């Protein structure tokens, strides 16, 4: 690639040499994600991975894909790009662990108006950090320079994860019964959902994002909103080794009312006492500023609960102990009862 260049292409706004520099800069970040199954290096036409299926009777691949959404606008405004990649990884791997799967590898896709190699490397650093947190290898990706389609200083970011689980260990929500307990794993903040509403309420394009906000415990609005999505993979997989986890739900867009019912069979409902939810300050501030109803808040945001696990009531102590050992301040959120409502928040 030493002699690969095109003056005509560069004149149209695409600098292929910048792409080569981006790959060179990102390699140091990618290297820390390498696991035993990786069989290829960055820069090839495809990422090769040999999964270890030792002890598995019927290995099943589980895939997930997602982006970061309009939270990217905050990254643009703050000119901070080294954590947004964690969000991208989290949105994918947190989904596949809901099936009981262990992430194997991840690929990213970055589309930009202009390829600034240092900025691309910062984005990939975040992706690599997310991969390390989840135990996935970053085995490939794509950076597409698209002048005229994106503004020069803007980009989009999406990703794709693949995990593996033995067929007999795939989580089956049909095993959930009335009397089971719902365990909450706290979120780190807004995560990566509902940002169109967040941006509207706080008028982020015109707000002072760096000023300390008393309602946010002295943190700035920008810092609070850019806090990366928490990755729950390792704590949840460790929990599955300790107790019988019946179902898991990733609380993303749609909040409690959309996501928790996805972990329940028909005829069962999650009963949750409102005062038992450990709501983070950012959500109280958002609701007050935007005059948003409680129903809409819980139907849009995670409200401080990024993931829930459903277990037998006899396993509560051991489950919370396991999650605590993994660094999660887990707590009992509610219980499963008979009913058709999906979620009862009282």
């Amino acid at each position: 690639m030493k002699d690969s260049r095109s003056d005509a292409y560069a004149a149209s706004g695409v600098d292929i040499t910048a792409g080569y520099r981006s790959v060179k800069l990102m390699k140091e970040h990618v290297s820390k994600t390498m696991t035993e199954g990786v069989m290829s290096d960055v820069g090839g036409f495809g990422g090769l991975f040999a999964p270890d299926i030792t002890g598995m009777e019927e290995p099943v691949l589980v895939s997930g894909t997602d982006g970061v959404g309009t939270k990217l606008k905050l990254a643009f405004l703050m000119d901070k790009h080294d954590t947004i990649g964690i969000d991208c990884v989290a949105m994918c791997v947190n989904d596949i662990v809901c099936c009981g799967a262990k992430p194997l590898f991840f690929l990213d896709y970055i589309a930009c108006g202009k390829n600034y190699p240092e900025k691309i490397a910062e984005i990939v650093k975040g992706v690599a950090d997310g991969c390390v947190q989840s135990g996935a290898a970053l085995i490939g990706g794509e950076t597409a320079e698209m002048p005229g389609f994106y503004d020069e200083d803007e980009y989009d970011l999406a990703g794709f994860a693949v995990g593996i689980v033995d067929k007999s260990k795939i989580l089956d929500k049909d095993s959930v019964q009335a009397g089971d307990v719902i365990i909450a794993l706290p979120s780190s903040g807004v995560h990566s959902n509902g940002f169109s509403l967040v941006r509207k309420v706080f008028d982020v394009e015109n707000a002072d994002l760096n000023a300390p906000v008393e309602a946010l415990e002295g943190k700035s609005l920008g810092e609070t909103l850019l806090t990366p999505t928490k990755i729950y993979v390792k704590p949840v997989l460790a929990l599955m080794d300790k107790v019988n986890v019946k179902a898991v739900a990733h609380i993303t867009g749609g909040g409690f009312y959309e996501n928790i019912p996805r972990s329940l069979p028909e005829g069962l409902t999650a009963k949750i006492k409102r005062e038992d939810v450990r709501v983070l300050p950012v959500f109280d501030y958002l609701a007050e500023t935007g005059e948003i109803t409680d129903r809409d808040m819980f139907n849009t945001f995670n409200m401080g609960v990024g993931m829930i696990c459903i277990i037998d009531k006899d396993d509560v102590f051991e489950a919370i102990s396991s999650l605590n050992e993994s660094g999660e301040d887990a707590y009992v959120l509610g219980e499963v009862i008979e009913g058709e409502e999906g979620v009862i928040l009282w």
Side-chain angles (χ1 to χ4, degrees):
M1 294 188 294
K2 291 182 180 179
D3 296 323
S4 177
R5 64 183 185 275
S6 170
D7 293 337
Y9 209 6
S12 73
V14 179
D15 183 0
I16 57 177
T17 61
Y20 303 148
R21 176 163 168 74
S22 295
V23 172
K24 183 178 180 180
L25 291 174
M26 69 177 67
K27 280 190 174 182
E28 66 171 293
H29 305 302
V30 175
S31 64
K32 65 186 178 185
T33 75
M34 294 297 99
T35 60
E36 291 184 3
V38 179
M39 297 178 61
S40 57
D41 195 8
V42 176
F45 288 102
L48 305 178
F49 192 93
D52 180 4
I53 59 174
T54 304
M56 292 189 179
E57 296 181 1
E58 293 183 83
V60 177
L61 295 179
V62 181
S63 61
T65 186
D66 209 337
V68 181
T70 61
K71 184 174 183 175
L72 289 172
K73 288 285 188 179
L74 270 296
F76 303 158
L77 291 168
M78 298 286 290
D79 193 24
K80 180 174 172 54
H81 312 281
D82 61 344
T83 62
I84 205 75
I86 299 175
D87 293 283
C88 187
V89 176
M91 297 305 291
C92 298
V93 297
N94 283 345
D95 277 355
I96 65 176
V97 80
C98 291
C99 299
K102 173 186 177 182
L104 295 174
F105 58 83
F106 188 85
L107 291 91
D108 61 17
Y109 174 79
I110 304 168
C112 57
K114 183 174 178 60
N115 187 329
Y116 297 103
E118 289 75 14
K119 180 187 287 188
I120 298 299
E122 284 188 30
I123 298 168
V124 174
K125 175 189 178 299
V127 174
D129 288 343
C131 286
V132 170
Q133 291 180 31
S134 62
L138 179 55
I139 64 170
E142 173 71 13
T143 301
E145 190 172 18
M146 302 168 64
F149 196 87
Y150 293 95
D151 289 340
E152 280 197 0
D153 293 324
E154 296 194 346
Y155 57 86
D156 198 4
L157 173 64
F160 178 87
V162 172
I164 193 167
V165 61
D166 205 345
K167 186 176 181 179
S168 64
K169 294 184 178 180
I170 296 174
L171 297 187
D172 181 7
K173 67 180 183 179
D174 288 335
S175 66
V176 176
Q177 299 176 334
D180 286 342
V181 174
I182 303 168
I183 302 294
L185 281 67
S187 71
S188 56
V190 184
H191 284 184
S192 301
N193 299 103
F195 269 85
S196 293
L197 179 55
V198 169
R199 289 168 44 242
K200 177 183 178 183
V201 169
F202 291 131
D203 188 19
V204 295
E205 282 79 6
N206 300 303
D208 184 351
L209 297 174
N210 294 303
V213 178
E214 184 177 351
L216 300 177
E217 302 176 334
K219 295 181 179 180
S220 71
L221 182 60
E223 176 189 6
T224 300
L225 295 179
L226 264 189
T227 301
T229 304
K230 184 181 284 189
I231 293 177
Y232 299 97
V233 170
K234 292 181 180 179
V236 171
L237 290 178
L239 177 64
M240 291 176 184
D241 286 337
K242 299 284 184 62
V243 303
N244 177 29
V245 178
K246 297 185 177 183
V248 176
H250 184 197
I251 312 303
T252 55
F256 280 38
Y257 287 102
E258 180 175 322
N259 292 289
I260 294 179
R262 295 167 68 181
S263 63
L264 300 170
E266 289 188 17
L268 294 182
T269 291
K271 184 180 180 182
I272 300 168
K273 189 182 294 185
R274 171 64 169 82
E275 64 185 37
D276 288 342
V277 183
R278 299 178 187 175
V279 178
L280 295 176
V282 64
F283 296 111
D284 291 330
Y285 185 47
L286 179 62
E288 181 180 350
T289 304
E291 298 181 344
I292 306 172
T293 65
D294 224 35
R295 169 73 196 208
D296 283 353
M297 288 296 296
F298 276 91
N299 211 153
T300 307
F301 303 103
N302 68 64
M303 299 303 288
V305 179
M307 183 164 281
I308 62 103
C309 297
I310 300 178
I311 60 172
D312 187 278
K313 62 182 179 180
D314 293 333
D315 292 329
V316 170
F317 178 80
E318 189 173 359
I320 291 182
S321 295
S322 172
L323 290 166
N324 289 166
E325 289 173 6
S326 296
E328 293 296 327
D329 189 17
Y331 62 95
V332 173
L333 180 67
E335 63 177 328
V336 177
I337 64 171
E338 294 183 357
E340 300 292 341
E341 294 90 341
V343 173
I344 297 175
L345 196 62
W346 61 290

